[in-house]
Amino acid sequence: MQFKDIKVTDPFWTKYRDIVKTKLIPYQWSVINDDKDIAIEKENAGAYDAVEKSHAVENLKIAAGLVKGHFYGFWFQDSDVYKWLEAVAYALRYAPDAELESIADSLIDIIAQAQEPDGYLDTYIQIEAPTHKWTHVSLSHELYVMGHYIEAGVAYYQTTGNQKALAIAKKMGDCIDANFGPEDNKMHGYPGHPEVELALAKLADETGDAKYTRVAKYMIDQRGTHPNNFFEEQLKNVQTKKIEDPYFGDASQPDPDAPYFQNDVPVRDMQSAEGHAVRMTYLLTGMAHVARQTGDESLMAACQRLWEDITQRQMYVTGGIGSSAPNGEAFTFDYDLPNDTAYAETCASCAMAFFAKQMRDGRQDADYGDVLERELYNGTISGMSLDGEHFFYVNPLEVDPESSAKDPMKSHVKVQRAAWFGCACCPPNLARLVASVDQYIYTATDDAIYADQFIGNETTFDNGVTIAQSGNFPWSGEVTFQVRAAGSVDTILAIRIPAWSRHNYQVTVADKPYTSVLDHGYLKIKQTWSGTTTITVSLDMSVQEIHADHRIKDDVGKVAIQRGPVVYALEEADNGKHLQANSVAADAQFTVTEDNSTFAVPTVQLTTTGTHTDAATVPGTLYGASATVLTHAQPLVFIPYFAWANRTPGEMMVWVHQH
């Protein structure tokens, strides 16, 4: 079963998608064309020097021979353009725009001119280092940027029918297939930054050509094996060609930190998520997609094992992943989830959404929808301000402006979103996720329609069923499904009941209560549909105090406040300084108030009376055995985590002490 047509009508996501279409896409276009006078910041203080401009489109023009000049920016800069193009492809589906489509068409013309006859395209290599082609794939990002174009080209073709967009993608796929594989005349390697694997799987879906899946699977299977092309065979290449390159650093020695690159063992032997969080989850997204395409059960089992490791031991309550900045935007070890030094890169949350979708497409389990929901309403959209023009690379769960300014270990934690980054992967990644959110609502199988997300929509399926889903989620738990059938249609409608409401929910079908044992978190309604049938779902929207596993030492004695799928936070703008001095009771009573004025999108505010510690020692002493704890009642205002830092800069905190 397939979708014939889907239209998002949801109040929450319609607003966000409008921000992407009218604010974010034009803003990003002006930035990548160097038309915007902005300050570009380091995404991670100490990681790279910030550049003065993007130059990303200009690099393509130089490679195309349209202008003269040198490459500028990071060597993976092409991907900023391609992700922008992919976001445009999705936005044009819900907001047709002839002028924007014309701009995108012109960009595709430039990309086509920049592409070499064999399909290769990497502007840094072509402009500055043509002898380096395929010589240092561990760091060069050639496969990474080509993968991002393949995704964009497929999406743009699907939206507009632009044959040139797809032809570029196919030529890239053919080029990769011609250069990588088990044959003696090919490289036995794979990218340092996974991405091309998931892109090739998408290209195979679109074209029906299994060779793209075959080369993606080869790269996945080759990873971490011996002899290891990534380090050993490539090292010979580098030494033979005597490569010296300021971008790639000292290429004469392999990087010994193989786990950072998910390269120490074959993927089927990996027992836990490791290394750079975005690389890990991009790799897993490709693995899950290829496993589904090929029926590879051992590969899917590895995906499931690593899914469980991430979601049960290495994920923040906001959906953020990657807890270490000094160790390279990376996973560290189980239950190591510090709040005030969290990295939780926006791209990593987007990648978890992509991974969840691929796992969901392969298996019927509400766990994937639960995690996806957590990402959509918390860890991803926190990366963008509500003006669509400022962004977080890092999404911490606790912020103190003084610590960010004076503690080198917290310098990556920002109190305000930046206008742009030197390494600008996150803004266009978020844009393409929000613009494509319609793809995450349903999963259709031969005999069932699975409603995975409560996002208002009108969708027609090719079996003759149309579903109109409505409500005011995530602020209200009352959701209505109107199922219309042309004639009589036998199918199952399976509705995900979120984990946070499985203890308390009600469903009616045609005004009659409907009960059934949940099947992997889904309530399945099986009947012959004809005419119009109304289904109502009532979810428990009471405020919950969430406790962390006791092995997460930073959260012992604390609670996170959650209502529905939305995680909440205290912010200095509402509660004053010294947020750590506040606590809430185990049986705190919360007032729930609609707030249509504080932020650019409607939200729900939570208020309660907490306790604020004024003094815990004898005055004039830093510590004291005879301390007298002085406290007073303190009104506390909680806002949705995703909305923090849209007002006056200040402290923020998710996990609150409980008394």
Side-chain angles (χ1 to χ4, degrees):
M1 192 188 315
Q2 300 291 330
F3 311 139
K4 289 179 64 178
D5 182 59
I6 183 166
K7 178 183 179 182
V8 172
T9 58
D10 187 84
F12 184 90
W13 289 106
T14 296
K15 180 65 176 177
Y16 260 95
R17 279 157 49 108
D18 181 63
I19 292 172
V20 167
K21 171 59 172 59
T22 63
K23 301 289 187 181
L24 187 51
I25 286 175
Y27 177 80
Q28 291 188 8
W29 180 245
S30 67
V31 171
I32 62 179
N33 280 277
D34 305 325
D35 293 333
K36 201 79 173 176
D37 184 16
I38 55 173
I40 298 180
E41 296 186 12
K42 296 180 181 181
E43 75 291 345
N44 173 10
Y48 300 112
D49 290 332
V51 295
E52 295 180 356
K53 57 185 176 181
S54 168
H55 210 253
V57 173
E58 192 73 4
N59 289 333
L60 283 162
K61 291 179 179 178
I62 296 169
L66 299 174
V67 297
K68 300 290 186 181
H70 288 281
F71 182 93
Y72 181 85
F74 292 115
W75 60 98
F76 41 79
Q77 204 92 326
D78 296 358
S79 61
D80 295 351
V81 181
Y82 302 152
K83 281 184 280 188
W84 177 87
L85 179 61
E86 188 180 354
V88 169
Y90 301 135
L92 289 174
R93 297 178 191 178
Y94 65 85
D97 183 329
E99 181 180 357
L100 179 60
E101 186 172 346
S102 177
I103 292 171
D105 287 345
S106 297
L107 174 63
I108 289 167
D109 290 340
I110 295 170
I111 294 169
Q113 290 176 262
Q115 187 175 34
E116 294 185 355
D118 68 349
Y120 182 88
L121 177 54
D122 181 282
T123 63
Y124 170 69
I125 297 292
Q126 290 169 259
I127 297 169
E128 302 293 345
T131 61
H132 289 43
K133 187 176 178 180
W134 301 137
T135 58
H136 206 330
V137 293
S138 61
L139 292 178
S140 66
H141 284 62
E142 292 157 278
L143 291 165
Y144 171 83
V145 298
M146 289 171 74
H148 271 302
Y149 177 80
I150 290 171
E151 286 196 88
V154 168
Y156 197 75
Y157 167 74
Q158 290 172 338
T159 299
T160 67
N162 185 306
Q163 292 285 345
K164 184 180 290 186
L166 183 62
I168 296 168
K170 289 170 65 177
K171 284 180 68 177
M172 283 185 180
D174 294 345
C175 177
I176 294 165
D177 178 59
N179 284 278
F180 293 85
E183 295 86 354
D184 290 341
N185 63 335
K186 294 183 181 181
M187 287 186 64
H188 309 309
Y190 42 90
H193 195 312
E195 203 283 339
V196 74
E197 303 89 341
L198 70 90
L200 288 167
K202 287 186 176 182
L203 185 60
D205 280 344
E206 179 57 38
T207 63
D209 194 333
K211 72 180 176 185
Y212 302 126
T213 296
R214 185 174 63 247
V215 68
K217 188 175 188 301
Y218 177 76
M219 289 180 172
I220 290 168
D221 290 342
Q222 189 74 4
R223 198 171 201 92
T225 61
H226 294 278
N228 190 324
N229 175 274
F230 191 73
F231 287 144
E232 298 162 17
E233 293 184 19
Q234 187 168 278
L235 177 58
K236 297 175 187 177
N237 223 2
V238 170
Q239 291 172 332
T240 300
K241 294 180 182 294
K242 295 182 171 58
I243 290 174
E244 296 178 3
D245 191 287
Y247 278 84
F248 303 159
D250 180 8
S252 65
Q253 295 296 324
D255 190 326
D257 191 16
Y260 175 81
F261 294 97
Q262 298 84 39
N263 188 54
D264 53 334
V265 297
V267 296
R268 290 170 178 78
D269 296 337
M270 293 181 69
Q271 299 302 308
S272 62
E274 58 187 28
H276 187 273
V278 179
R279 296 173 194 239
M280 181 80 254
T281 39
Y282 275 176
L283 174 61
L284 287 167
T285 302
M287 286 168 57
H289 198 156
V290 167
R292 179 165 49 82
Q293 287 178 326
T294 60
D296 190 328
E297 291 299 327
S298 66
L299 190 59
M300 182 57 80
C303 291
Q304 181 63 32
R305 180 172 62 251
L306 295 168
W307 168 272
E308 292 173 2
D309 176 66
I310 294 171
T311 60
Q312 297 175 18
R313 291 178 284 277
Q314 299 202 69
M315 176 180 282
Y316 285 98
V317 70
T318 57
I321 57 171
S323 54
S324 172
N327 197 36
E329 310 171 348
F331 294 105
T332 52
F333 55 91
D334 290 353
Y335 309 107
D336 179 39
L337 294 166
N339 297 310
D340 59 351
T341 57
Y343 205 81
E345 183 182 340
T346 300
C347 275
S349 287
C350 291
M352 271 305 296
F354 305 150
F355 181 30
K357 172 60 175 170
Q358 288 303 323
M359 291 298 288
R360 175 64 195 84
D361 284 349
R363 296 185 171 188
Q364 317 306 335
D365 193 323
D367 182 42
Y368 308 125
D370 287 343
V371 171
L372 176 57
E373 181 183 75
R374 186 175 298 279
E375 300 293 357
L376 289 177
Y377 292 99
N378 301 287
T380 57
I381 56 175
S382 59
M384 179 181 74
S385 69
L386 296 172
D387 66 6
E389 296 184 353
H390 295 84
F391 311 94
F392 275 144
Y393 198 97
V394 173
N395 294 273
L397 281 76
E398 183 176 326
V399 168
D400 180 340
E402 187 173 19
S403 295
S404 294
K406 299 179 180 179
D407 184 347
M409 296 302 294
K410 298 176 183 175
S411 59
H412 62 288
V413 176
K414 308 297 184 183
V415 298
Q416 286 182 292
R417 293 174 179 85
W420 201 249
F421 303 107
C423 174
C425 52
C426 293
N429 224 356
L430 181 57
R432 67 178 181 147
L433 174 64
V434 173
S436 64
V437 75
D438 55 294
Q439 299 178 24
Y440 298 84
I441 302 173
Y442 296 109
T443 303
T445 64
D446 290 341
D447 63 348
I449 298 169
Y450 289 83
D452 294 317
Q453 299 299 323
F454 298 104
I455 297 175
N457 68 91
E458 295 179 3
T459 301
T460 300
F461 299 85
D462 61 8
N463 67 347
V465 168
T466 297
I467 297 178
Q469 184 185 158
S470 60
N472 191 28
F473 199 79
W475 313 124
S476 170
E478 303 300 314
V479 182
T480 299
F481 293 82
Q482 282 203 331
V483 183
R484 299 189 297 273
S488 297
V489 181
D490 292 322
T491 194
I492 298 168
L493 176 60
I495 300 173
R496 179 181 62 91
I497 304 300
W500 47 264
S501 188
R502 284 179 201 151
H503 63 286
N504 179 25
Y505 67 93
Q506 294 81 41
V507 176
T508 67
V509 179
D511 295 324
K512 295 180 180 179
Y514 186 91
T515 58
S516 177
V517 176
L518 296 184
D519 183 358
H520 292 88
Y522 287 93
L523 182 75
K524 292 187 172 180
I525 305 169
K526 183 177 183 179
Q527 66 180 56
T528 300
W529 307 90
S530 62
T532 300
T533 305
T534 300
I535 300 167
T536 62
V537 179
S538 297
L539 302 173
D540 186 354
M541 298 297 286
S542 59
V543 179
Q544 299 181 15
E545 296 187 19
I546 306 298
H547 294 262
D549 186 291
H550 69 281
R551 288 166 288 191
I552 304 176
K553 62 182 181 180
D554 293 82
D555 299 335
V556 173
K558 298 179 181 180
V559 292
I561 306 304
Q562 182 172 323
R563 181 176 181 270
V566 178
V567 174
Y568 279 75
L570 294 174
E571 195 172 22
E572 183 180 331
D574 303 303
N575 302 284
K577 292 183 177 295
H578 308 301
L579 295 181
Q580 277 283 7
N582 295 306
S583 64
V584 296
D587 59 351
Q589 300 299 304
F590 289 84
T591 300
V592 178
T593 307
E594 292 184 5
D595 182 1
N596 297 319
S597 59
T598 302
F599 303 106
V601 297
T603 63
V604 164
Q605 184 184 93
L606 307 178
T607 56
T608 190
T609 299
T611 298
H612 186 90
T613 299
D614 300 299
T617 66
V618 174
T621 65
L622 188 59
Y623 308 103
S626 59
T628 300
V629 178
L630 301 177
T631 64
H632 71 267
Q634 170 93 4
L636 296 177
V637 177
F638 291 81
I639 63 167
Y641 170 76
F642 71 76
W644 84 276
N646 277 279
R647 298 176 290 176
T648 305
E651 297 178 29
M652 182 277 293
M653 184 170 67
V654 170
W655 288 93
V656 185
H657 294 286
Q658 188 181 65
H659 65 263

